[in-house]
Amino acid sequence: MRKVIITDLTRFSTAERVCTAAVDMNTGECIRPIPYLLSSRCAELNIQPGSILKGDFDFKKDAENPHIEDAFHKNLQFLGPSTTEGFKGVLDNTLSESVSAGFGIKFAEGQKHIPVGEVATCSIITIKVAPENFQIIEDQYKAGKIKASFTDNNGDSYRFLSITDRGFYDYAMSHQNDDKLADLQAFILNQDEIYLRVGVGRVYESNDGRNGYWLQVNGIYTFPDFLEEIRSYG
């Protein structure tokens, strides 16, 4: 059995299922458990970022690039929450210098997807950005939906990416009418460090014909403080 720490808890358009990602605490391998877990099962196992689980994971032999981390799971057991230091250590150990370096793909200015047929090194990475280089904004087209814009350490900017981090989504939905997003942005600016888990979804073709795996922000983690309404690691 493997012992893993949950690094990502992301939502789909429907609330019944969630997508998770974890890091093996011994090998450092990233794992995307499949099939996707039901929200009820996540609640039963107390799965959230920073949760420590053990279980059997079998990497999918025919996994399609870039989702090479797909692994079948069984016998999942909750062992307890990690410490803040332990969770931050996992993020540090999986850190990439930039988005392009992490995925092994040179993204052109304004590019937000990995085109079908282009080989990436993985489907999810960790980067660290300066608080002043990260912004959360409300989607002007969909009430309650939020987007993220950031500039990485290469100086490359990624604008209006979907935030699939379930904690942040739930926060936005519960505060969409009380201007709390401004308070959230102010809180972020007062933090020392921001770690982002940037992943790609399954293949999708946009209305203009661009077909590929689109970047999304799967996890947003602030240090030394975090909002308890959103996070619970530590």
Side-chain angles (χ1 to χ4, degrees):
M1 300 185 85
R2 292 176 181 256
K3 185 163 73 170
V4 304
I5 185 168
I6 298 295
T7 50
D8 306 80
L9 183 61
T10 62
R11 66 177 302 278
F12 291 103
S13 56
T14 57
E16 294 85 31
R17 297 180 305 156
V18 295
C19 179
T20 57
V23 171
D24 186 302
M25 298 180 71
N26 293 318
T27 67
E29 294 172 289
C30 182
I31 296 170
R32 283 184 179 269
I34 55 172
Y36 298 127
L37 293 167
L38 295 176
S39 293
S40 57
R41 180 62 171 153
C42 284
E44 179 184 329
L45 287 169
N46 197 23
I47 291 179
Q48 53 195 319
S51 294
I52 299 173
L53 306 178
K54 72 175 180 179
D56 296 311
F57 297 94
D58 183 18
F59 282 103
K60 188 178 179 182
K61 294 179 175 57
D62 58 348
E64 294 184 4
N65 189 277
H67 291 93
I68 59 174
E69 305 90 353
D70 286 351
F72 298 105
H73 63 83
K74 61 181 180 180
N75 302 322
L76 295 181
Q77 300 174 50
F78 175 69
L79 298 183
S82 70
T83 63
T84 298
E85 293 76 15
F87 185 60
K88 187 173 182 292
V90 167
L91 297 177
D92 279 322
N93 289 338
T94 59
L95 202 58
S96 296
E97 181 65 20
S98 66
V99 174
S100 289
F103 288 107
I105 290 198
K106 178 58 179 175
F107 289 85
E109 184 176 354
Q111 180 180 341
K112 296 190 286 187
H113 72 298
I114 299 172
V116 168
E118 192 160 352
V119 177
T121 55
C122 60
S123 72
I124 188 166
I125 63 172
T126 308
I127 62 169
K128 186 159 67 170
V129 300
E132 62 270 20
N133 289 336
F134 179 74
Q135 184 180 21
I136 294 175
I137 54 177
E138 187 169 5
D139 191 325
Q140 59 181 319
Y141 301 109
K142 295 182 179 180
K145 190 171 183 180
I146 51 178
K147 299 277 190 177
S149 296
F150 64 86
T151 300
D152 68 14
N153 290 332
N154 268 4
D156 296 326
S157 294
Y158 298 86
R159 317 297 295 175
F160 308 111
L161 300 186
S162 293
I163 297 177
T164 55
D165 181 316
R166 193 172 75 167
F168 270 80
Y169 174 85
D170 290 346
Y171 183 90
M173 289 299 294
S174 63
H175 293 291
Q176 59 181 308
N177 297 317
D178 59 12
D179 200 32
K180 282 290 186 178
L181 289 184
D183 293 343
L184 176 58
Q185 189 66 48
F187 172 82
I188 288 172
L189 281 172
N190 284 322
Q191 297 308 300
D192 294 338
E193 298 174 297
I194 297 177
Y195 291 76
L196 303 178
R197 291 283 288 174
V198 181
V200 292
R202 303 294 167 168
V203 67
Y204 173 79
E205 184 172 356
S206 64
N207 292 333
D208 60 10
R210 289 176 295 170
N211 193 24
Y213 307 88
W214 293 80
L215 295 172
Q216 56 193 30
V217 179
N218 290 0
I220 303 166
Y221 305 114
T222 58
F223 298 94
D225 301 320
F226 60 89
L227 288 177
E228 293 185 5
E229 190 173 349
I230 297 175
R231 294 272 86 100
S232 61
Y233 53 84

